[in-house]
Amino acid sequence: MKAPPFAYRLAEDLPQALDLYARSAGDAVYLAGGHSIVPSLSLRLQAPALLIDISRIAALAGVSLGPEGLRIGATTPHAVLLEDPLVATHAPLLAEAARHVAHPAIRNRATFGGNLVLADPASEFPAVVRALRAELEVEGPEGARQIAAEDFFLDLYTTALQPGEILRAVLIPPPAPGQLVAFAELARRQGDFAMVGAAVRLVPKAGVIGTADIVFHSVGLTPMRAVAAEAALIGQALDAATIAAACAAVAQDLQPGDDPVLPAATRLHLAGVLLGRLLRRVQGEWA
Amino acid sequence: MELTGSHSLTQPPETVWRALFDPEVLARAIPGCETLAQTSDDAFAATVKLKIGPVSARFKGEVELADKEPPFACTLSGKGSGGIAGFAKGAARVTLAPEGTGTVLSYTAEAALGGKLAALGSRLIQATAAKLADEFFTRFADVLNETTTTATTD
């Protein structure tokens, strides 16, 4: 199918993008990599009057390291996350997850920020930024603000962004001393949407687990934090009994629905299996 | 594309059955419903405005109820008409089974989409449709509970 008619404007900078939006009476959509907008236009699932191209705004690009952590510009393509040495050193979890996002051709154009604002619960990056406790820097008609990844994903394809706001960059805090991370997912074929996936971040404290972040994707309407599984880990030594307790606790955290691809019980079972694998992987590196 | 789900309702199948044919209940249960008109005994026309992420449009559609086995089963078939909704049509078999004093409503829906969809397209539509179906039946249950409570206090 063909897209409905729309106007197109290339924004040179953020103020111009915001101004174009302000004058659109709410009937405009920001375009970066186009990997969710273009298919949804072609399917005629939306019909905005104006596309505002933000892909060439310098303020949205680039990866840099500062005292607050690693700052990744919203228009950074997935492929850069895979290759960038700063990402590999300071946010290896993101680089690991990026391998699982779609295919090389898509990763060359689709943007990190676009992925996050689409907020597909089956996508890897929303789970990873939540597990890493990242902060999202947003620019909008009312000025700039920062939203914790924890508070950003509200519902299926729904975020805390207000109309007209643009995600500018993602700030990933510096790793805590001794922090260990792991990411994995189960998919029938490489590049498919996962049946279930998870990002794990553990920080040791005096020989036991001090902090635990476990966030699943593809098992709910948002990236799902596994609070009961985290609680089963905190204050414990990372041994087989603790891992078994955390895997069992997953059943309290996740209530996936039945769908034609996978019955709910199977998806829940796979989530427990996957968490076990991830925790054993971290256990191997545990000091 | 297939969707399935089930919901527990506190009313007996007879009450649920009547509500399925009540335009007032349907209008309140359909997510984003702007207008709903009964066009014949078993047919309705609706305008729905949706905004779920990249799905943002006003849809016009027609719903028909057929193969009725009161008060236990019927088939709802719908199709979009015109513009953005033109590509979609689908049918859902709804069954009502008594459970204690209440009812378990289950549905299996089959939606046909025009053209071949890429991975993202089918994911967008599948995820949105599943959420809408769930929301419809959740709201349907809420409206039904409310209506029954009002009726008993009158």
Side-chain angles (χ1 to χ4, degrees), chain A:
Chain A
M1 209 191 278
K2 287 178 187 167
F6 57 82
Y8 167 92
R9 292 291 301 275
L10 178 66
E12 306 279 341
D13 53 28
L14 270 173
Q16 194 194 358
L18 293 171
D19 182 57
L20 285 167
Y21 187 90
R23 287 191 280 127
S24 73
D27 201 9
V29 170
Y30 296 119
L31 173 75
H35 275 63
S36 50
I37 305 287
V38 173
S40 67
L41 286 173
S42 296
L43 290 164
R44 301 209 166 196
L45 294 173
Q46 61 177 348
L50 172 66
L51 292 188
I52 304 167
D53 189 340
I54 57 169
S55 66
R56 291 186 225 172
I57 298 177
L60 301 179
V63 179
S64 61
L65 187 65
E68 290 170 290
L70 186 71
R71 199 167 170 281
I72 303 173
T75 56
T76 303
H78 304 346
V80 170
L81 300 178
L82 266 173
E83 296 155 6
D84 190 285
L86 283 177
V87 176
T89 313
H90 299 277
L93 195 58
L94 261 185
E96 204 179 335
R99 288 194 302 119
H100 297 277
V101 184
H103 305 280
I106 291 170
R107 294 198 291 256
N108 283 337
R109 278 201 72 86
T111 66
F112 183 47
N115 176 289
L116 295 177
V117 302
L118 175 66
D120 188 335
S123 183
E124 292 81 357
F125 292 144
V128 172
V129 297
R130 213 176 159 188
L132 291 176
R133 305 192 181 195
E135 293 280 330
L136 283 73
E137 296 175 10
V138 167
E139 199 78 44
E142 310 291 323
R145 64 182 181 127
Q146 203 158 311
I147 308 169
E150 194 61 28
D151 306 321
F152 188 72
F153 304 100
L154 303 181
D155 201 346
L156 178 71
Y157 301 131
T158 308
T159 69
L161 281 184
Q162 294 300 307
E165 284 189 323
I166 297 172
L167 176 62
R168 183 187 178 130
V170 177
L171 188 67
I172 294 167
Q179 169 175 312
L180 293 170
V181 293
F183 177 89
E185 68 177 41
L186 299 170
R188 290 211 167 92
R189 297 173 304 183
Q190 169 74 31
D192 276 4
F193 285 108
M195 296 183 283
V196 61
V200 170
R201 170 182 174 271
L202 297 185
V203 183
K205 190 180 167 187
V208 296
I209 300 162
T211 308
D213 288 293
I214 302 170
V215 184
F216 284 93
H217 64 93
S218 265
V219 283
L221 293 175
T222 62
M224 303 293 285
R225 179 174 287 279
V227 182
E230 291 172 355
L233 294 176
I234 292 169
Q236 306 294 320
L238 187 57
D239 55 25
T242 306
I243 293 175
C247 295
V250 164
Q252 295 167 48
D253 288 318
L254 306 175
Q255 292 84 34
D258 278 317
D259 72 36
V261 182
L262 216 56
T266 310
R267 202 178 286 269
L268 191 59
H269 169 74
L270 293 178
V273 170
L274 188 70
L275 181 61
R277 285 185 195 170
L278 285 169
L279 292 175
R280 281 190 294 276
R281 196 195 293 171
V282 172
Q283 193 185 22
E285 302 166 35
W286 194 258

Side-chain angles (χ1 to χ4, degrees), chain A residues 35 43-45 120 155 260, chain B residues 2 56 84 117 120 123 131:
Chain A
H35 275 63
L43 290 164
R44 301 209 166 196
L45 294 173
D120 188 335
D155 201 346
Chain B
E2 200 180 87
S56 170
I84 275 169
L117 295 178
L120 185 91
R123 157 100 199 121
K131 180 175 164 62

Side-chain angles (χ1 to χ4, degrees), chain B residues 54-143:
Chain B
V55 180
S56 170
R58 189 173 267 118
F59 297 86
K60 273 187 183 163
E62 289 155 32
V63 182
E64 234 179 68
L65 296 114
D67 304 327
K68 294 192 284 182
E69 298 167 34
F72 298 116
C74 71
T75 301
L76 286 129
S77 52
K79 64 172 196 282
S81 61
I84 275 169
F87 68 91
K89 63 176 180 186
R93 184 71 180 164
V94 177
T95 56
L96 306 176
E99 186 194 48
T101 55
T103 305
V104 175
L105 181 155
S106 316
Y107 61 91
T108 312
E110 188 70 51
L113 298 164
K116 195 170 157 62
L117 295 178
L120 185 91
S122 57
R123 157 100 199 121
L124 273 179
I125 293 174
Q126 171 97 36
T128 311
K131 180 175 164 62
L132 289 175
D134 188 64
E135 213 171 296
F136 169 78
F137 287 108
T138 306
R139 291 166 63 144
F140 180 74
D142 287 349
V143 174

Side-chain angles (χ1 to χ4, degrees), chain B residues 11-77:
Chain B
Q11 291 80 16
E14 291 75 14
T15 314
V16 177
W17 180 260
R18 275 195 303 276
L20 273 179
F21 292 83
D22 182 342
E24 227 168 276
V25 175
L26 292 176
R28 289 169 63 193
I30 295 170
C33 182
E34 290 186 326
T35 62
L36 183 100
Q38 189 151 14
T39 49
S40 78
D41 273 359
D42 294 330
F44 302 90
T47 318
V48 172
K49 195 179 178 215
L50 290 179
K51 172 82 188 95
I52 301 176
V55 180
S56 170
R58 189 173 267 118
F59 297 86
K60 273 187 183 163
E62 289 155 32
V63 182
E64 234 179 68
L65 296 114
D67 304 327
K68 294 192 284 182
E69 298 167 34
F72 298 116
C74 71
T75 301
L76 286 129
S77 52

